[in-house]
Protein backbone atom coordinates (compact mmCIF):
# COMPACT_ATOMS: atom_id res chain seq x y z
CA UNK A 1 0.00 0.00 0.00
CA UNK A 2 1.11 3.53 -0.75
CA UNK A 3 0.73 6.38 1.76
CA UNK A 4 0.99 9.21 -0.78
CA UNK A 5 -2.63 10.37 -0.44
CA UNK A 6 -4.05 12.61 2.26
CA UNK A 7 -7.56 11.95 3.52
CA UNK A 8 -10.33 13.99 5.10
CA UNK A 9 -12.85 11.56 6.57
CA UNK A 10 -16.27 13.17 7.15
CA UNK A 11 -18.43 11.08 9.47
CA UNK A 12 -22.20 11.23 9.89
CA UNK A 13 -22.45 9.98 13.50
CA UNK A 14 -26.10 8.89 13.19
CA UNK A 15 -25.69 6.87 9.96
CA UNK A 16 -26.57 3.21 10.23
CA UNK A 17 -28.22 3.74 13.59
CA UNK A 18 -24.95 5.08 14.99
CA UNK A 19 -22.68 2.58 13.22
CA UNK A 20 -20.56 5.13 11.34
CA UNK A 21 -18.24 6.17 14.22
CA UNK A 22 -17.33 2.52 14.74
CA UNK A 23 -16.82 1.94 11.02
CA UNK A 24 -14.35 4.79 10.60
CA UNK A 25 -11.89 3.70 13.31
CA UNK A 26 -10.33 0.60 11.71
CA UNK A 27 -10.12 2.22 8.26
CA UNK A 28 -8.48 5.36 9.64
CA UNK A 29 -5.98 3.18 11.54
CA UNK A 30 -5.11 1.19 8.41
CA UNK A 31 -4.62 4.38 6.39
CA UNK A 32 -2.32 5.84 9.06
CA UNK A 33 -0.40 2.58 9.36
CA UNK A 34 0.23 2.81 5.61
CA UNK A 35 1.77 6.26 6.10
CA UNK A 36 -1.17 8.37 5.00
CA UNK A 37 -2.14 11.62 6.68
CA UNK A 38 -5.71 11.32 7.97
CA UNK A 39 -8.10 13.88 9.43
CA UNK A 40 -11.43 12.69 10.89
CA UNK A 41 -14.31 15.14 11.38
CA UNK A 42 -17.77 14.35 12.72
CA UNK A 43 -20.49 16.06 10.70
CA UNK A 44 -21.45 19.43 12.22
CA UNK A 45 -24.31 20.02 9.76
CA UNK A 46 -24.83 20.69 6.03
CA UNK A 47 -23.50 24.26 5.92
CA UNK A 48 -20.36 23.35 7.83
CA UNK A 49 -19.86 20.26 5.64
CA UNK A 50 -19.74 22.44 2.53
CA UNK A 51 -16.95 24.53 4.03
CA UNK A 52 -15.06 21.46 5.26
CA UNK A 53 -15.23 19.83 1.83
CA UNK A 54 -14.08 23.00 0.07
CA UNK A 55 -11.11 23.31 2.44
CA UNK A 56 -10.17 19.64 2.06
CA UNK A 57 -10.39 19.74 -1.74
CA UNK A 58 -8.29 22.91 -1.88
CA UNK A 59 -5.70 21.12 0.27
CA UNK A 60 -5.60 18.21 -2.17
CA UNK A 61 -7.19 15.68 0.20
CA UNK A 62 -9.33 12.75 -0.82
CA UNK A 63 -12.70 13.53 0.79
CA UNK A 64 -14.18 10.35 2.27
CA UNK A 65 -17.88 10.08 3.06
CA UNK A 66 -18.44 7.89 6.12
CA UNK A 67 -22.14 7.09 6.36
CA UNK A 68 -25.00 6.21 4.06
CA UNK A 69 -26.35 7.41 0.74
CA UNK A 70 -27.69 10.67 2.13
CA UNK A 71 -24.30 11.61 3.56
CA UNK A 72 -22.59 10.64 0.31
CA UNK A 73 -24.91 12.81 -1.77
CA UNK A 74 -24.47 15.79 0.55
CA UNK A 75 -20.70 15.55 0.04
CA UNK A 76 -20.55 14.46 -3.61
CA UNK A 77 -21.87 17.70 -5.09
CA UNK A 78 -19.38 19.75 -3.12
CA UNK A 79 -16.48 17.50 -4.14
CA UNK A 80 -17.60 17.70 -7.77
CA UNK A 81 -17.87 21.49 -7.66
CA UNK A 82 -14.29 21.77 -6.41
CA UNK A 83 -12.87 19.21 -8.82
CA UNK A 84 -11.89 16.92 -5.97
CA UNK A 85 -11.76 13.16 -5.40
CA UNK A 86 -14.31 11.22 -3.34
CA UNK A 87 -13.89 8.02 -1.35
CA UNK A 88 -16.50 5.96 0.50
CA UNK A 89 -16.68 4.08 3.77
CA UNK A 90 -20.16 2.48 3.66
CA UNK A 91 -21.77 2.83 7.09
CA UNK A 92 -25.44 3.60 6.53
CA UNK A 93 -28.64 1.58 6.42
CA UNK A 94 -28.78 1.33 2.65
CA UNK A 95 -25.29 1.87 1.18
CA UNK A 96 -26.83 1.55 -2.26
CA UNK A 97 -24.36 3.73 -4.16
CA UNK A 98 -21.44 1.86 -2.59
CA UNK A 99 -23.18 -1.37 -3.61
CA UNK A 100 -23.46 -0.08 -7.18
CA UNK A 101 -19.76 0.86 -7.26
CA UNK A 102 -18.71 -2.45 -5.72
CA UNK A 103 -17.22 -0.84 -2.61
CA UNK A 104 -17.29 -3.43 0.21
CA UNK A 105 -17.70 -2.83 3.92
CA UNK A 106 -14.61 -4.80 4.98
CA UNK A 107 -12.14 -2.28 6.51
CA UNK A 108 -9.02 -3.76 4.89
CA UNK A 109 -10.59 -3.81 1.44
CA UNK A 110 -11.92 -0.28 1.86
CA UNK A 111 -8.49 0.99 2.98
CA UNK A 112 -6.83 -0.68 -0.01
CA UNK A 113 -9.29 1.00 -2.39
CA UNK A 114 -8.69 4.39 -0.80
CA UNK A 115 -4.92 4.00 -0.98
CA UNK A 116 -4.47 2.31 -4.33
CA UNK A 117 -7.50 2.68 -6.62
CA UNK A 118 -7.32 4.97 -9.64
CA UNK A 119 -9.97 7.70 -9.88
CA UNK A 120 -13.04 6.87 -11.96
CA UNK A 121 -15.42 9.46 -13.37
CA UNK A 122 -19.10 8.79 -12.62
CA UNK A 123 -22.28 10.72 -13.32
CA UNK A 124 -24.31 12.75 -10.85
CA UNK A 125 -27.97 13.75 -10.90
CA UNK A 126 -28.83 17.44 -10.65
CA UNK A 127 -32.29 18.29 -9.34
CA UNK A 128 -33.71 21.75 -9.92
CA UNK A 129 -36.54 22.30 -7.45
CA UNK A 130 -39.56 24.49 -8.25
CA UNK A 131 -37.91 27.29 -6.23
CA UNK A 132 -34.82 27.13 -8.46
CA UNK A 133 -32.53 25.48 -5.93
CA UNK A 134 -30.08 22.98 -7.43
CA UNK A 135 -29.36 19.78 -5.51
CA UNK A 136 -26.83 17.08 -6.45
CA UNK A 137 -27.80 13.43 -5.89
CA UNK A 138 -25.57 10.42 -6.52
CA UNK A 139 -27.98 7.48 -6.73
CA UNK A 140 -31.62 8.23 -7.50
CA UNK A 141 -34.44 10.74 -7.22
CA UNK A 142 -38.01 9.54 -6.74
CA UNK A 143 -41.44 11.12 -6.71
CA UNK A 144 -44.37 9.28 -5.17
CA UNK A 145 -44.81 6.29 -2.92
CA UNK A 146 -41.11 5.60 -2.38
CA UNK A 147 -40.56 9.13 -1.05
CA UNK A 148 -43.30 8.34 1.48
CA UNK A 149 -41.57 5.02 2.25
CA UNK A 150 -38.33 6.87 2.96
CA UNK A 151 -40.16 8.98 5.54
CA UNK A 152 -41.55 5.83 7.19
CA UNK A 153 -38.07 4.25 7.33
CA UNK A 154 -36.88 7.09 9.54
CA UNK A 155 -39.52 6.12 12.10
CA UNK A 156 -38.84 2.38 11.89
CA UNK A 157 -35.49 2.24 13.67
CA UNK A 158 -37.01 -0.15 16.22
CA UNK A 159 -37.00 -2.86 13.54
CA UNK A 160 -33.92 -4.88 12.50
CA UNK A 161 -32.17 -3.04 9.68
CA UNK A 162 -33.03 -5.68 7.03
CA UNK A 163 -36.74 -5.31 7.76
CA UNK A 164 -36.96 -1.51 7.81
CA UNK A 165 -37.24 -0.90 4.06
CA UNK A 166 -39.67 -3.78 3.28
CA UNK A 167 -41.86 -2.68 6.20
CA UNK A 168 -41.81 0.94 5.01
CA UNK A 169 -42.61 -0.06 1.42
CA UNK A 170 -45.67 -2.07 2.45
CA UNK A 171 -46.90 0.69 4.78
CA UNK A 172 -46.43 3.33 2.09
CA UNK A 173 -48.18 1.31 -0.61
CA UNK A 174 -51.13 0.52 1.65
CA UNK A 175 -51.91 4.20 2.24
CA UNK A 176 -50.75 5.87 -0.99
CA UNK A 177 -53.12 7.52 -3.47
CA UNK A 178 -52.03 7.42 -7.13
CA UNK A 179 -50.95 10.67 -8.72
CA UNK A 180 -51.52 11.84 -12.30
CA UNK A 181 -48.07 12.76 -13.58
CA UNK A 182 -47.02 14.78 -16.61
CA UNK A 183 -43.70 13.31 -17.70
CA UNK A 184 -41.34 14.88 -20.23
CA UNK A 185 -38.08 13.07 -21.04
CA UNK A 186 -35.80 14.91 -23.46
CA UNK A 187 -38.89 16.74 -24.72
CA UNK A 188 -41.05 13.67 -25.30
CA UNK A 189 -44.22 14.08 -23.24
CA UNK A 190 -46.69 11.63 -21.75
CA UNK A 191 -49.30 11.60 -18.99
CA UNK A 192 -50.07 8.67 -16.72
CA UNK A 193 -51.35 7.73 -13.30
CA UNK A 194 -48.45 6.44 -11.22
CA UNK A 195 -47.47 5.10 -7.85
CA UNK A 196 -43.93 6.38 -8.40
CA UNK A 197 -41.43 7.76 -10.88
CA UNK A 198 -37.74 7.04 -10.21
CA UNK A 199 -34.88 8.78 -12.02
CA UNK A 200 -31.90 6.52 -11.43
CA UNK A 201 -28.17 6.87 -11.89
CA UNK A 202 -27.50 3.86 -9.67
CA UNK A 203 -29.34 0.59 -10.16
CA UNK A 204 -30.00 0.16 -6.44
CA UNK A 205 -32.11 1.97 -3.87
CA UNK A 206 -34.01 1.11 -0.69
CA UNK A 207 -31.21 -1.05 0.77
CA UNK A 208 -30.61 -3.39 -2.13
CA UNK A 209 -33.76 -3.07 -4.24
CA UNK A 210 -32.68 -3.32 -7.90
CA UNK A 211 -35.04 -0.60 -9.07
CA UNK A 212 -33.17 0.13 -12.34
CA UNK A 213 -31.39 -3.12 -13.21
CA UNK A 214 -29.75 -1.80 -16.39
CA UNK A 215 -28.55 1.51 -14.94
CA UNK A 216 -24.86 2.39 -15.41
CA UNK A 217 -23.20 5.15 -13.40
CA UNK A 218 -21.01 6.42 -16.23
CA UNK A 219 -23.23 6.22 -19.33
CA UNK A 220 -24.47 9.81 -19.23
CA UNK A 221 -28.11 8.77 -18.99
CA UNK A 222 -30.92 8.56 -16.48
CA UNK A 223 -32.87 5.33 -16.22
CA UNK A 224 -36.45 6.48 -15.60
CA UNK A 225 -38.63 3.81 -13.99
CA UNK A 226 -42.36 4.55 -13.91
CA UNK A 227 -44.67 2.25 -11.97
CA UNK A 228 -48.29 2.80 -13.00
CA UNK A 229 -51.07 3.00 -10.47
CA UNK A 230 -52.38 -0.51 -9.92
CA UNK A 231 -54.21 -2.59 -7.35
CA UNK A 232 -52.43 -2.00 -4.03
CA UNK A 233 -52.37 -5.69 -3.18
CA UNK A 234 -50.79 -6.48 -6.55
CA UNK A 235 -48.11 -3.85 -5.97
CA UNK A 236 -47.34 -5.22 -2.50
CA UNK A 237 -47.16 -8.77 -3.85
CA UNK A 238 -44.72 -7.64 -6.56
CA UNK A 239 -42.25 -6.10 -4.07
CA UNK A 240 -39.98 -9.18 -3.91
CA UNK A 241 -39.44 -8.87 -7.67
CA UNK A 242 -37.75 -5.49 -7.15
CA UNK A 243 -34.83 -7.09 -5.29
CA UNK A 244 -33.94 -9.10 -8.40
CA UNK A 245 -34.87 -6.39 -10.90
CA UNK A 246 -37.65 -8.60 -12.27
CA UNK A 247 -40.34 -5.96 -11.75
CA UNK A 248 -39.34 -4.24 -15.01
CA UNK A 249 -41.08 -7.07 -16.91
CA UNK A 250 -44.46 -6.30 -15.32
CA UNK A 251 -47.09 -4.57 -17.46
CA UNK A 252 -47.35 -1.77 -14.89
CA UNK A 253 -43.68 -0.81 -15.24
CA UNK A 254 -42.19 1.37 -17.97
CA UNK A 255 -38.45 2.07 -18.25
CA UNK A 256 -37.15 4.95 -20.36
CA UNK A 257 -33.68 6.44 -20.77
CA UNK A 258 -32.63 10.00 -21.37
CA UNK A 259 -30.77 13.00 -20.07
CA UNK A 260 -33.36 15.44 -18.73
CA UNK A 261 -36.65 14.64 -17.02
CA UNK A 262 -39.35 17.20 -16.20
CA UNK A 263 -42.22 16.21 -13.91
CA UNK A 264 -45.51 17.88 -12.97
CA UNK A 265 -48.31 16.44 -10.83
CA UNK A 266 -52.03 16.99 -10.30
CA UNK A 267 -51.64 17.06 -6.52
CA UNK A 268 -48.88 17.66 -4.00
CA UNK A 269 -46.55 14.66 -3.90
CA UNK A 270 -43.37 13.98 -1.94
CA UNK A 271 -39.93 14.05 -3.58
CA UNK A 272 -36.86 12.28 -2.22
CA UNK A 273 -33.29 11.54 -3.20
CA UNK A 274 -30.92 8.93 -1.73
CA UNK A 275 -33.00 8.58 1.41
CA UNK A 276 -33.34 12.31 2.04
CA UNK A 277 -36.50 14.42 1.61
CA UNK A 278 -36.36 16.99 -1.20
CA UNK A 279 -39.70 18.64 -0.50
CA UNK A 280 -43.02 18.56 -2.35
CA UNK A 281 -43.92 18.80 -6.00
CA UNK A 282 -47.10 20.89 -5.96
CA UNK A 283 -49.68 21.40 -8.73
CA UNK A 284 -48.54 24.10 -11.14
CA UNK A 285 -44.85 23.49 -10.40
CA UNK A 286 -42.21 21.54 -12.30
CA UNK A 287 -39.37 19.39 -11.06
CA UNK A 288 -36.33 19.13 -13.33
CA UNK A 289 -33.96 16.18 -13.04
CA UNK A 290 -30.89 16.02 -15.27
CA UNK A 291 -27.81 13.83 -15.56
CA UNK A 292 -24.37 15.42 -15.24
CA UNK A 293 -22.05 13.08 -17.16
CA UNK A 294 -18.68 12.36 -15.56
CA UNK A 295 -19.23 15.03 -12.91
CA UNK A 296 -17.58 13.21 -9.99
CA UNK A 297 -14.23 11.48 -9.59
CA UNK A 298 -14.48 8.59 -7.15
CA UNK A 299 -12.31 5.76 -5.82
CA UNK A 300 -13.85 2.30 -6.26
Amino acid sequence: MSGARRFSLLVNPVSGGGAAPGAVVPVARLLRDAGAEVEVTYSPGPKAIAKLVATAVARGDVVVSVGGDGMLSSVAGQVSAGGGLLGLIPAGRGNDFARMLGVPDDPEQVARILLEAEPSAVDLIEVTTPSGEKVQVAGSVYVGVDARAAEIVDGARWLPRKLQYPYAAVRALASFRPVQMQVSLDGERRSLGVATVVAANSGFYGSGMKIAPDAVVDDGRLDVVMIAAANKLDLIRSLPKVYEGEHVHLDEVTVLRGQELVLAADRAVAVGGDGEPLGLLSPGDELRIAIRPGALNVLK
Side-chain angles (χ1 to χ4, degrees), residues 66-85:
V66 187
D69 294 300
M71 177 65 174
L72 186 150
S73 276
S74 72
V75 171
Q78 301 292 333
V79 173
S80 172
L85 181 58

Side-chain angles (χ1 to χ4, degrees), residues 17-118:
V24 74
V25 172
V27 178
R29 182 173 62 245
L30 288 163
L31 295 176
R32 290 183 176 122
D33 288 347
E37 192 170 335
V38 178
E39 183 175 300
V40 179
T41 304
Y42 289 84
S43 172
K47 290 184 179 178
I49 280 182
K51 186 175 181 181
L52 286 168
V53 171
T55 301
V57 169
R59 201 165 51 217
D61 292 6
V62 178
V63 177
V64 181
S65 168
V66 187
D69 294 300
M71 177 65 174
L72 186 150
S73 276
S74 72
V75 171
Q78 301 292 333
V79 173
S80 172
L85 181 58
L86 182 71
L88 291 74
I89 299 178
R93 283 177 294 179
N95 302 321
D96 286 302
F97 201 70
R99 181 179 286 106
M100 186 69 184
L101 296 182
V103 177
D105 56 11
D106 175 73
E108 290 192 3
Q109 292 178 311
V110 171
R112 186 169 288 107
I113 288 169
L114 293 175
L115 290 163
E116 298 179 353
E118 292 298 320

Side-chain angles (χ1 to χ4, degrees), residues 251-274:
D251 291 340
E252 295 83 4
V253 180
T254 301
V255 181
L256 304 172
R257 294 180 183 86
Q259 294 184 312
E260 184 175 57
L261 178 69
V262 181
L263 299 175
D266 70 339
R267 65 175 179 84
V269 61
V271 182
D274 284 355

Side-chain angles (χ1 to χ4, degrees), residues 152-292:
I152 294 171
V153 163
D154 286 336
R157 298 177 188 273
W158 50 275
L159 279 171
R161 191 183 303 182
K162 287 184 178 180
L163 297 179
Q164 289 173 1
Y165 282 94
Y167 165 81
V170 171
R171 279 275 312 274
L173 283 168
S175 60
F176 187 76
R177 289 189 299 117
V179 57
Q180 190 69 25
M181 195 81 71
Q182 303 296 320
V183 178
S184 174
L185 182 63
D186 295 344
E188 184 177 332
R189 298 178 180 274
R190 64 185 69 201
S191 176
L192 67 165
V194 299
T196 191
V197 176
V198 182
N201 181 34
S202 165
F204 296 100
Y205 83 162
S207 193
M209 293 183 181
K210 209 168 187 179
I211 186 64
D214 295 326
V216 180
V217 294
D218 59 359
D219 65 350
R221 295 192 301 175
L222 295 168
D223 279 43
V224 180
V225 181
M226 299 180 290
I227 302 180
N231 179 281
K232 289 180 181 180
L233 186 57
D234 288 343
L235 287 174
I236 290 170
R237 284 173 175 165
S238 68
L239 273 175
K241 293 180 180 291
V242 185
Y243 283 93
E244 301 300 325
E246 293 298 318
H247 63 292
V248 297
H249 304 299
L250 297 173
D251 291 340
E252 295 83 4
V253 180
T254 301
V255 181
L256 304 172
R257 294 180 183 86
Q259 294 184 312
E260 184 175 57
L261 178 69
V262 181
L263 299 175
D266 70 339
R267 65 175 179 84
V269 61
V271 182
D274 284 355
E276 300 296 318
L278 297 179
L280 289 176
L281 174 58
S282 298
D285 289 335
E286 288 186 339
L287 183 75
R288 293 183 177 270
I289 304 168
I291 199 73
R292 293 182 56 212

